[in-house]
Amino acid sequence: MIEVKNVSYTYMKKTPFEKTALQEISFSVNEGDFLAIAGHTGSGKSTLIQIIAGLIDLEIGAVEIDGEGVKNKSARSKIGIVFQYPEYQLFEETVEKDIAFGPRNFGLSEVEIAARVNDAMKFVDLDESLKNVSPFELSGGQKRRVAIAGILALKPKYLILDEPTAGLDPQAKKNLLAEIKKLHRAGVTIIFVSHAMEDIAVLASRVIVLAQGKILFEGTPRKLFGQAEILERAGLLPPPITQIMQNFLRAGFNVNTEIISLEEAEKEIAKFRR
């Protein structure tokens, strides 16, 4: 379990540029959860996940990973983080070397490293023939999968994904979301950071909305999408299908706006055809 307890953080304290990024943030992530963290630019999402991953030192509050403080190396080793546009962090000569970089730094044997590289590539559907190819010759979607495979090769218990579909074309995005679902089904606990409500709708079981460094909402995506005022305050838009149902409601139709799929919307609209 990840526990975030009363975490606050301020950048550039006691300077003219002082900015409070987080204010008294508390929540927990149980093993097997798929938690989404949503919020507009500047809401504190990136600061929060960097604190959870131990990349920013805590000022106020605490973060515990399975009962250990996040400063402990054993706790941090359980967390993998994939930043936005992770393909910009690729640097090795070949795909194989890039994926192997983390495990090699952990001092694993070459046999174990090779096994982890193979397993990670299979999991994200990268063909074995790409091992000796330069990662810079791959498509955007393939690069993204190489970067994720490099984190998976470390075998993290908890995986943080920061806007993982940003910049991808529709097909590459669809493929990556399928890989993320597969990861979760395989037992990886996921924290998914995004402002794309349509992605959150199909993936997350729980969502936290941040606005100006505070938690504005915590609950299921379905409950969130039924609360237009909260989404507006956070600067977020619900999925397109939810927006359509909200338009029906404004037009005077008594419809349920807690809709997250096309199938549900069709059933709801069918009521008015009878």
Side-chain angles (χ1 to χ4, degrees):
M1 173 188 285
I2 298 175
E3 293 183 276
V4 178
K5 303 176 180 179
N6 299 313
V7 168
S8 296
Y9 192 84
T10 302
Y11 287 103
M12 294 183 284
K13 275 187 173 180
K14 298 179 181 179
T15 75
F17 305 102
E18 180 173 307
K19 176 178 172 54
T20 299
L22 298 171
Q23 300 180 60
E24 299 180 347
I25 301 293
S26 295
F27 63 92
S28 61
V29 186
N30 294 314
E31 288 185 33
D33 274 358
F34 197 123
L35 172 70
I37 299 177
H40 204 269
T41 302
S43 62
K45 304 189 305 294
S46 294
T47 301
L48 177 58
I49 61 172
Q50 288 182 70
I51 286 174
I52 293 172
L55 301 177
I56 295 179
D57 289 336
L58 282 163
E59 290 181 337
I60 299 171
V63 174
E64 293 183 356
I65 314 297
D66 293 339
E68 291 186 292
V70 72
K71 286 187 177 180
N72 294 340
K73 185 177 180 180
S74 61
R76 290 200 306 273
S77 69
K78 296 178 181 179
I79 295 181
I81 182 167
V82 179
F83 289 106
Q84 190 174 6
Y85 299 107
E87 56 270 25
Y88 294 162
Q89 299 162 40
L90 301 175
F91 63 93
E92 285 283 10
E93 297 173 345
T94 67
V95 166
E96 181 177 27
K97 287 182 179 179
D98 219 300
I99 297 172
F101 180 80
R104 184 163 283 119
N105 276 1
F106 273 15
L108 300 179
S109 70
E110 290 302 315
V111 172
E112 176 64 18
I113 291 169
R116 290 197 180 197
V117 169
N118 288 336
D119 289 346
M121 289 186 69
K122 285 178 184 176
F123 205 95
V124 298
D125 286 335
L126 284 169
D127 194 270
E128 192 174 337
S129 63
L130 296 175
K131 274 187 179 180
N132 295 317
V133 173
S134 167
F136 306 107
E137 295 177 9
L138 304 178
S139 69
Q142 287 174 320
K143 288 178 182 177
R144 189 76 50 96
R145 283 185 279 165
V146 170
I148 291 174
I151 299 299
L152 294 183
L154 297 171
K155 295 193 174 180
K157 183 176 181 181
Y158 304 98
L159 181 62
I160 301 172
L161 297 161
D162 185 9
E163 300 282 2
T165 62
L168 295 181
D169 63 64
Q171 187 58 51
K173 176 179 175 177
K174 181 180 178 181
N175 292 341
L176 183 57
L177 290 178
E179 300 302 329
I180 293 170
K181 284 183 181 179
K182 189 166 69 171
L183 272 173
H184 184 240
R185 288 196 300 269
V188 178
T189 301
I190 292 177
I191 298 176
F192 182 86
V193 179
S194 181
H195 64 269
M197 296 295 102
E198 63 271 23
D199 295 347
I200 289 174
V202 299
L203 292 171
S205 54
R206 187 162 58 101
V207 57
I208 287 173
V209 176
L210 292 180
Q212 298 179 326
K214 296 180 180 179
I215 292 180
L216 194 60
F217 173 91
E218 182 174 357
T220 65
R222 190 180 297 278
K223 287 294 182 185
L224 172 62
F225 300 150
Q227 300 187 46
E229 182 184 345
I230 287 177
L231 289 168
E232 186 175 347
R233 285 173 60 191
L236 298 170
L237 289 172
I241 195 64
T242 308
Q243 293 180 51
I244 291 171
M245 300 310 293
Q246 289 172 349
N247 288 336
F248 273 111
L249 185 65
R250 283 190 283 269
F253 292 92
N254 184 23
V255 296
N256 176 17
T257 57
E258 294 181 7
I259 296 293
I260 62 173
S261 72
L262 181 60
E263 292 77 13
E264 290 177 348
E266 288 174 343
K267 289 179 182 177
E268 189 70 14
I269 294 170
K271 297 176 184 177
F272 299 97
R273 296 176 185 163
R274 296 167 186 166

PDB file of all heavy atoms in Angstrom, residues 198 201-202 222 225 239-242 245 257-269:
ATOM      1  N   GLU A 198     -11.534  10.700 -21.159  1.00  0.00           N
ATOM      2  CA  GLU A 198     -11.955   9.497 -21.872  1.00  0.00           C
ATOM      3  C   GLU A 198     -11.041   8.309 -21.556  1.00  0.00           C
ATOM      4  O   GLU A 198     -11.484   7.160 -21.531  1.00  0.00           O
ATOM      5  CB  GLU A 198     -12.021   9.744 -23.383  1.00  0.00           C
ATOM      6  CG  GLU A 198     -10.711  10.101 -24.040  1.00  0.00           C
ATOM      7  CD  GLU A 198     -10.420  11.597 -24.047  1.00  0.00           C
ATOM      8  OE1 GLU A 198     -10.979  12.334 -23.196  1.00  0.00           O
ATOM      9  OE2 GLU A 198      -9.612  12.023 -24.896  1.00  0.00           O
ATOM     10  N   ALA A 201     -11.941   7.158 -17.987  1.00  0.00           N
ATOM     11  CA  ALA A 201     -13.228   6.460 -17.964  1.00  0.00           C
ATOM     12  C   ALA A 201     -13.077   4.971 -18.229  1.00  0.00           C
ATOM     13  O   ALA A 201     -13.763   4.150 -17.608  1.00  0.00           O
ATOM     14  CB  ALA A 201     -14.174   7.078 -19.000  1.00  0.00           C
ATOM     15  N   VAL A 202     -12.175   4.606 -19.147  1.00  0.00           N
ATOM     16  CA  VAL A 202     -12.062   3.194 -19.538  1.00  0.00           C
ATOM     17  C   VAL A 202     -11.032   2.426 -18.719  1.00  0.00           C
ATOM     18  O   VAL A 202     -10.961   1.202 -18.797  1.00  0.00           O
ATOM     19  CB  VAL A 202     -11.726   3.057 -21.039  1.00  0.00           C
ATOM     20  CG1 VAL A 202     -12.822   3.672 -21.885  1.00  0.00           C
ATOM     21  CG2 VAL A 202     -10.379   3.694 -21.373  1.00  0.00           C
ATOM     22  N   ARG A 222     -17.309   7.450 -12.700  1.00  0.00           N
ATOM     23  CA  ARG A 222     -18.731   7.615 -12.982  1.00  0.00           C
ATOM     24  C   ARG A 222     -19.338   8.751 -12.143  1.00  0.00           C
ATOM     25  O   ARG A 222     -20.088   9.586 -12.638  1.00  0.00           O
ATOM     26  CB  ARG A 222     -19.468   6.296 -12.713  1.00  0.00           C
ATOM     27  CG  ARG A 222     -20.905   6.269 -13.207  1.00  0.00           C
ATOM     28  CD  ARG A 222     -21.554   4.928 -12.886  1.00  0.00           C
ATOM     29  NE  ARG A 222     -20.894   3.825 -13.557  1.00  0.00           N
ATOM     30  CZ  ARG A 222     -21.118   3.483 -14.816  1.00  0.00           C
ATOM     31  NH1 ARG A 222     -21.991   4.159 -15.542  1.00  0.00           N
ATOM     32  NH2 ARG A 222     -20.485   2.453 -15.350  1.00  0.00           N
ATOM     33  N   PHE A 225     -17.995  12.210 -13.396  1.00  0.00           N
ATOM     34  CA  PHE A 225     -18.541  12.715 -14.648  1.00  0.00           C
ATOM     35  C   PHE A 225     -19.973  13.215 -14.497  1.00  0.00           C
ATOM     36  O   PHE A 225     -20.476  13.944 -15.347  1.00  0.00           O
ATOM     37  CB  PHE A 225     -18.463  11.648 -15.734  1.00  0.00           C
ATOM     38  CG  PHE A 225     -17.061  11.189 -16.015  1.00  0.00           C
ATOM     39  CD1 PHE A 225     -16.797   9.904 -16.453  1.00  0.00           C
ATOM     40  CD2 PHE A 225     -15.986  12.044 -15.819  1.00  0.00           C
ATOM     41  CE1 PHE A 225     -15.501   9.478 -16.700  1.00  0.00           C
ATOM     42  CE2 PHE A 225     -14.681  11.628 -16.060  1.00  0.00           C
ATOM     43  CZ  PHE A 225     -14.440  10.340 -16.497  1.00  0.00           C
ATOM     44  N   PRO A 239     -15.699  12.986 -20.691  1.00  0.00           N
ATOM     45  CA  PRO A 239     -15.594  12.322 -21.993  1.00  0.00           C
ATOM     46  C   PRO A 239     -16.678  12.831 -22.943  1.00  0.00           C
ATOM     47  O   PRO A 239     -17.747  13.265 -22.496  1.00  0.00           O
ATOM     48  CB  PRO A 239     -15.809  10.843 -21.652  1.00  0.00           C
ATOM     49  CG  PRO A 239     -15.482  10.726 -20.215  1.00  0.00           C
ATOM     50  CD  PRO A 239     -15.876  12.028 -19.590  1.00  0.00           C
ATOM     51  N   PRO A 240     -16.427  12.792 -24.253  1.00  0.00           N
ATOM     52  CA  PRO A 240     -17.425  13.288 -25.220  1.00  0.00           C
ATOM     53  C   PRO A 240     -18.805  12.689 -25.025  1.00  0.00           C
ATOM     54  O   PRO A 240     -19.812  13.401 -25.153  1.00  0.00           O
ATOM     55  CB  PRO A 240     -16.814  12.880 -26.571  1.00  0.00           C
ATOM     56  CG  PRO A 240     -15.343  12.878 -26.325  1.00  0.00           C
ATOM     57  CD  PRO A 240     -15.180  12.388 -24.918  1.00  0.00           C
ATOM     58  N   ILE A 241     -18.888  11.389 -24.715  1.00  0.00           N
ATOM     59  CA  ILE A 241     -20.201  10.763 -24.563  1.00  0.00           C
ATOM     60  C   ILE A 241     -20.944  11.335 -23.364  1.00  0.00           C
ATOM     61  O   ILE A 241     -22.165  11.509 -23.383  1.00  0.00           O
ATOM     62  CB  ILE A 241     -20.067   9.216 -24.453  1.00  0.00           C
ATOM     63  CG1 ILE A 241     -21.435   8.562 -24.661  1.00  0.00           C
ATOM     64  CG2 ILE A 241     -19.454   8.791 -23.138  1.00  0.00           C
ATOM     65  CD1 ILE A 241     -22.018   8.770 -26.023  1.00  0.00           C
ATOM     66  N   THR A 242     -20.218  11.677 -22.306  1.00  0.00           N
ATOM     67  CA  THR A 242     -20.834  12.293 -21.136  1.00  0.00           C
ATOM     68  C   THR A 242     -21.307  13.698 -21.470  1.00  0.00           C
ATOM     69  O   THR A 242     -22.384  14.134 -21.018  1.00  0.00           O
ATOM     70  CB  THR A 242     -19.836  12.345 -19.965  1.00  0.00           C
ATOM     71  OG1 THR A 242     -19.292  11.050 -19.750  1.00  0.00           O
ATOM     72  CG2 THR A 242     -20.519  12.805 -18.689  1.00  0.00           C
ATOM     73  N   MET A 245     -24.652  13.514 -23.099  1.00  0.00           N
ATOM     74  CA  MET A 245     -25.739  13.270 -22.152  1.00  0.00           C
ATOM     75  C   MET A 245     -26.064  14.527 -21.355  1.00  0.00           C
ATOM     76  O   MET A 245     -27.229  14.795 -21.042  1.00  0.00           O
ATOM     77  CB  MET A 245     -25.366  12.118 -21.216  1.00  0.00           C
ATOM     78  CG  MET A 245     -25.094  10.794 -21.913  1.00  0.00           C
ATOM     79  SD  MET A 245     -26.375  10.290 -23.093  1.00  0.00           S
ATOM     80  CE  MET A 245     -27.739   9.992 -21.958  1.00  0.00           C
ATOM     81  N   THR A 257     -26.560  11.371 -16.326  1.00  0.00           N
ATOM     82  CA  THR A 257     -25.322  11.911 -16.888  1.00  0.00           C
ATOM     83  C   THR A 257     -24.090  11.146 -16.405  1.00  0.00           C
ATOM     84  O   THR A 257     -22.973  11.442 -16.830  1.00  0.00           O
ATOM     85  CB  THR A 257     -25.157  13.398 -16.530  1.00  0.00           C
ATOM     86  OG1 THR A 257     -25.176  13.549 -15.102  1.00  0.00           O
ATOM     87  CG2 THR A 257     -26.264  14.231 -17.154  1.00  0.00           C
ATOM     88  N   GLU A 258     -24.285  10.151 -15.528  1.00  0.00           N
ATOM     89  CA  GLU A 258     -23.162   9.335 -15.075  1.00  0.00           C
ATOM     90  C   GLU A 258     -22.928   8.195 -16.068  1.00  0.00           C
ATOM     91  O   GLU A 258     -23.015   7.012 -15.759  1.00  0.00           O
ATOM     92  CB  GLU A 258     -23.418   8.795 -13.666  1.00  0.00           C
ATOM     93  CG  GLU A 258     -23.470   9.887 -12.609  1.00  0.00           C
ATOM     94  CD  GLU A 258     -23.703   9.345 -11.216  1.00  0.00           C
ATOM     95  OE1 GLU A 258     -23.704   8.106 -11.035  1.00  0.00           O
ATOM     96  OE2 GLU A 258     -23.885  10.157 -10.295  1.00  0.00           O
ATOM     97  N   ILE A 259     -22.640   8.611 -17.313  1.00  0.00           N
ATOM     98  CA  ILE A 259     -22.481   7.672 -18.421  1.00  0.00           C
ATOM     99  C   ILE A 259     -21.015   7.677 -18.842  1.00  0.00           C
ATOM    100  O   ILE A 259     -20.412   8.728 -19.013  1.00  0.00           O
ATOM    101  CB  ILE A 259     -23.357   8.105 -19.619  1.00  0.00           C
ATOM    102  CG1 ILE A 259     -24.837   8.034 -19.244  1.00  0.00           C
ATOM    103  CG2 ILE A 259     -23.067   7.260 -20.846  1.00  0.00           C
ATOM    104  CD1 ILE A 259     -25.369   6.647 -19.003  1.00  0.00           C
ATOM    105  N   ILE A 260     -20.425   6.488 -19.016  1.00  0.00           N
ATOM    106  CA  ILE A 260     -19.016   6.443 -19.385  1.00  0.00           C
ATOM    107  C   ILE A 260     -18.746   5.625 -20.643  1.00  0.00           C
ATOM    108  O   ILE A 260     -17.601   5.464 -21.036  1.00  0.00           O
ATOM    109  CB  ILE A 260     -18.149   5.897 -18.227  1.00  0.00           C
ATOM    110  CG1 ILE A 260     -18.546   4.457 -17.877  1.00  0.00           C
ATOM    111  CG2 ILE A 260     -18.232   6.802 -17.015  1.00  0.00           C
ATOM    112  CD1 ILE A 260     -17.630   3.805 -16.857  1.00  0.00           C
ATOM    113  N   SER A 261     -19.791   5.114 -21.280  1.00  0.00           N
ATOM    114  CA  SER A 261     -19.566   4.330 -22.504  1.00  0.00           C
ATOM    115  C   SER A 261     -20.684   4.574 -23.500  1.00  0.00           C
ATOM    116  O   SER A 261     -21.796   4.979 -23.132  1.00  0.00           O
ATOM    117  CB  SER A 261     -19.487   2.835 -22.184  1.00  0.00           C
ATOM    118  OG  SER A 261     -20.762   2.320 -21.849  1.00  0.00           O
ATOM    119  N   LEU A 262     -20.389   4.299 -24.781  1.00  0.00           N
ATOM    120  CA  LEU A 262     -21.374   4.460 -25.841  1.00  0.00           C
ATOM    121  C   LEU A 262     -22.552   3.512 -25.628  1.00  0.00           C
ATOM    122  O   LEU A 262     -23.710   3.890 -25.857  1.00  0.00           O
ATOM    123  CB  LEU A 262     -20.712   4.197 -27.198  1.00  0.00           C
ATOM    124  CG  LEU A 262     -21.596   4.350 -28.436  1.00  0.00           C
ATOM    125  CD1 LEU A 262     -22.144   5.766 -28.521  1.00  0.00           C
ATOM    126  CD2 LEU A 262     -20.798   4.001 -29.690  1.00  0.00           C
ATOM    127  N   GLU A 263     -22.275   2.303 -25.171  1.00  0.00           N
ATOM    128  CA  GLU A 263     -23.333   1.314 -24.941  1.00  0.00           C
ATOM    129  C   GLU A 263     -24.326   1.818 -23.898  1.00  0.00           C
ATOM    130  O   GLU A 263     -25.546   1.691 -24.065  1.00  0.00           O
ATOM    131  CB  GLU A 263     -22.733  -0.016 -24.492  1.00  0.00           C
ATOM    132  CG  GLU A 263     -21.926  -0.742 -25.554  1.00  0.00           C
ATOM    133  CD  GLU A 263     -20.549  -0.145 -25.769  1.00  0.00           C
ATOM    134  OE1 GLU A 263     -20.105   0.681 -24.923  1.00  0.00           O
ATOM    135  OE2 GLU A 263     -19.920  -0.474 -26.792  1.00  0.00           O
ATOM    136  N   GLU A 264     -23.812   2.409 -22.822  1.00  0.00           N
ATOM    137  CA  GLU A 264     -24.689   2.941 -21.775  1.00  0.00           C
ATOM    138  C   GLU A 264     -25.525   4.101 -22.302  1.00  0.00           C
ATOM    139  O   GLU A 264     -26.716   4.215 -21.987  1.00  0.00           O
ATOM    140  CB  GLU A 264     -23.855   3.411 -20.580  1.00  0.00           C
ATOM    141  CG  GLU A 264     -23.200   2.288 -19.798  1.00  0.00           C
ATOM    142  CD  GLU A 264     -22.327   2.802 -18.674  1.00  0.00           C
ATOM    143  OE1 GLU A 264     -22.040   4.006 -18.635  1.00  0.00           O
ATOM    144  OE2 GLU A 264     -21.933   1.990 -17.827  1.00  0.00           O
ATOM    145  N   ALA A 265     -24.912   4.955 -23.126  1.00  0.00           N
ATOM    146  CA  ALA A 265     -25.630   6.100 -23.685  1.00  0.00           C
ATOM    147  C   ALA A 265     -26.756   5.633 -24.600  1.00  0.00           C
ATOM    148  O   ALA A 265     -27.868   6.185 -24.573  1.00  0.00           O
ATOM    149  CB  ALA A 265     -24.662   6.996 -24.442  1.00  0.00           C
ATOM    150  N   GLU A 266     -26.498   4.605 -25.397  1.00  0.00           N
ATOM    151  CA  GLU A 266     -27.525   4.083 -26.305  1.00  0.00           C
ATOM    152  C   GLU A 266     -28.728   3.554 -25.524  1.00  0.00           C
ATOM    153  O   GLU A 266     -29.877   3.786 -25.904  1.00  0.00           O
ATOM    154  CB  GLU A 266     -26.926   2.973 -27.189  1.00  0.00           C
ATOM    155  CG  GLU A 266     -25.969   3.496 -28.238  1.00  0.00           C
ATOM    156  CD  GLU A 266     -25.285   2.366 -29.006  1.00  0.00           C
ATOM    157  OE1 GLU A 266     -25.306   1.222 -28.513  1.00  0.00           O
ATOM    158  OE2 GLU A 266     -24.743   2.647 -30.091  1.00  0.00           O
ATOM    159  N   LYS A 267     -28.459   2.853 -24.422  1.00  0.00           N
ATOM    160  CA  LYS A 267     -29.548   2.334 -23.595  1.00  0.00           C
ATOM    161  C   LYS A 267     -30.355   3.478 -22.975  1.00  0.00           C
ATOM    162  O   LYS A 267     -31.593   3.404 -22.879  1.00  0.00           O
ATOM    163  CB  LYS A 267     -28.989   1.427 -22.505  1.00  0.00           C
ATOM    164  CG  LYS A 267     -28.458   0.100 -23.013  1.00  0.00           C
ATOM    165  CD  LYS A 267     -27.890  -0.734 -21.873  1.00  0.00           C
ATOM    166  CE  LYS A 267     -27.313  -2.052 -22.411  1.00  0.00           C
ATOM    167  NZ  LYS A 267     -26.697  -2.855 -21.315  1.00  0.00           N
ATOM    168  N   GLU A 268     -29.663   4.517 -22.534  1.00  0.00           N
ATOM    169  CA  GLU A 268     -30.335   5.646 -21.892  1.00  0.00           C
ATOM    170  C   GLU A 268     -31.222   6.389 -22.895  1.00  0.00           C
ATOM    171  O   GLU A 268     -32.365   6.727 -22.617  1.00  0.00           O
ATOM    172  CB  GLU A 268     -29.296   6.589 -21.292  1.00  0.00           C
ATOM    173  CG  GLU A 268     -29.855   7.690 -20.406  1.00  0.00           C
ATOM    174  CD  GLU A 268     -30.404   7.206 -19.084  1.00  0.00           C
ATOM    175  OE1 GLU A 268     -30.115   6.022 -18.706  1.00  0.00           O
ATOM    176  OE2 GLU A 268     -31.136   7.952 -18.437  1.00  0.00           O
ATOM    177  N   ILE A 269     -30.673   6.611 -24.102  1.00  0.00           N
ATOM    178  CA  ILE A 269     -31.432   7.345 -25.133  1.00  0.00           C
ATOM    179  C   ILE A 269     -32.599   6.502 -25.629  1.00  0.00           C
ATOM    180  O   ILE A 269     -33.672   7.043 -25.980  1.00  0.00           O
ATOM    181  CB  ILE A 269     -30.492   7.732 -26.290  1.00  0.00           C
ATOM    182  CG1 ILE A 269     -29.458   8.748 -25.798  1.00  0.00           C
ATOM    183  CG2 ILE A 269     -31.279   8.294 -27.468  1.00  0.00           C
ATOM    184  CD1 ILE A 269     -28.347   9.012 -26.783  1.00  0.00           C
TER     185      ILE A 269
END
